[in-house]
Amino acid sequence: MKENYEEIINLPHHVSKTHTPMSMWNRAAQFAPFAALNGHNSALMETEKQNEQMYEHQDDSSTFTEFQYENGEDFL
């Protein structure tokens, strides 16, 4: 058995005689994010907001400690 697709690598690209090529728009839609990733962007934005709050209060240690306590997180 040949390795690395040697049998097919140099074959010409198939072009259907009966079906028109799919538009770029429709082709891209096939690769759109899956429903499993819904909410991912919201989670990233929430993390960004928390990080911004943490860095805003970094100079004020008492506020920074309160932020950690309120959010149950340890950033140190």
Side-chain angles (χ1 to χ4, degrees):
M1 178 177 234
K2 294 184 178 185
E3 295 181 21
N4 297 327
Y5 304 101
E6 290 177 19
E7 296 176 355
I8 63 170
I9 196 72
N10 293 318
L11 291 177
H13 177 73
H14 173 73
V15 179
S16 176
K17 294 177 183 176
T18 58
H19 299 286
T20 59
M22 186 180 290
S23 73
M24 292 296 279
W25 178 262
N26 288 337
R27 187 167 176 80
Q30 288 185 335
F31 299 101
F34 293 95
L37 296 178
N38 283 349
H40 180 69
N41 192 36
S42 298
L44 289 176
M45 291 180 71
E46 180 62 28
T47 301
E48 179 182 9
K49 187 170 90 174
Q50 289 176 357
N51 287 338
E52 286 175 354
Q53 289 174 351
M54 180 182 72
Y55 288 117
E56 285 174 4
H57 301 301
Q58 197 167 20
D59 293 332
D60 181 4
S61 60
S62 65
T63 308
F64 181 69
T65 305
E66 290 172 10
F67 175 81
Q68 287 178 316
Y69 181 75
E70 290 171 1
N71 292 294
E73 299 179 21
D74 185 15
F75 291 101
L76 300 178

